[in-house]
Amino acid sequence: MDILLWILVFLGTFAGMEGMAWFTHKYIMHGLLWKLHKDHHHKDHSHWWERNDLFFIFYALVSIGFFLLWRYEDVWIGLPIGLGILAYGITYFTVHDIFIHQRFKMFRNANNRFAKGIRRAHKMHHKHLGKDDGECFGMLFVPFKYFKK
């Protein structure tokens, strides 16, 4: 099996997950399953866990499914896809939950242009408290206007 193809599948999966996250966030979280996502916009609880975290578990199960496909069905593509989803999940958790929302008090002093742009875009997303009229549904790729000084 060609390592270049394996790497391309991994990177393609990672990049594709940003599109999947955007689509899921805009049309599922702010649509059909708003009841699960609402507590992320309205802090109506005093605990660390949010119903919104169920979306993270869903994608973890999808990633595990690809690992199982690779391991038990000998489908080679399952490994780079599973790892691509896992890598995106780790990145999402690090950027969204740790860096932006400070669920753990880390990366508080990150002040480079990219960090500021990501924070601005996410702040604009949370400006809208309802499920409609939202903006900036992506996580890593946000409109360039948020990176301007």
Side-chain angles (χ1 to χ4, degrees):
M1 205 261 300
D2 186 30
I3 190 70
L4 180 60
L5 180 59
W6 194 98
I7 291 169
L8 288 173
V9 171
F10 169 81
L11 293 174
T13 300
F14 183 91
M17 283 303 295
E18 176 70 6
M20 183 60 71
W22 179 90
F23 179 87
T24 303
H25 194 179
K26 182 171 175 97
Y27 295 108
I28 306 297
M29 294 177 176
H30 281 258
L32 180 67
L33 295 179
W34 171 249
K35 285 197 181 276
L36 294 179
H37 185 60
K38 182 179 179 181
D39 70 340
H40 183 64
H41 285 266
H42 299 275
K43 297 296 180 192
D44 60 354
H45 54 83
S46 60
H47 47 84
W48 184 80
W49 177 262
E50 297 177 347
R51 289 180 299 276
N52 183 65
D53 294 328
L54 290 170
F55 292 105
F56 178 77
I57 292 171
F58 169 78
Y59 281 111
L61 291 173
V62 172
S63 179
I64 290 166
F66 279 103
F67 288 130
L68 294 174
L69 187 66
W70 164 72
R71 175 67 175 92
Y72 294 108
E73 299 298 325
D74 200 30
V75 178
W76 73 267
I77 203 167
L79 183 58
I81 291 174
L83 288 172
I85 296 170
L86 173 64
Y88 186 83
I90 291 168
T91 303
Y92 189 96
F93 181 76
T94 303
V95 171
H96 181 263
D97 291 300
I98 296 176
F99 173 67
I100 293 173
H101 287 291
Q102 289 291 300
R103 285 175 103 170
F104 301 99
K105 306 304 181 205
M106 300 167 61
F107 308 121
R108 297 180 123 185
N109 298 325
N111 246 356
N112 61 54
R113 192 172 179 192
F114 181 74
K116 287 178 181 179
I118 293 291
R119 280 190 186 127
R120 279 188 206 117
H122 203 75
K123 187 173 185 175
M124 290 306 295
H125 175 73
H126 278 270
K127 180 178 95 171
H128 304 281
L129 298 178
K131 75 179 205 172
D132 300 319
D133 300 323
E135 59 184 286
C136 298
F137 292 95
M139 191 236 343
L140 294 176
F141 303 112
V142 298
F144 289 114
K145 68 182 180 180
Y146 296 107
F147 296 105
K148 295 178 183 174
K149 291 187 176 193

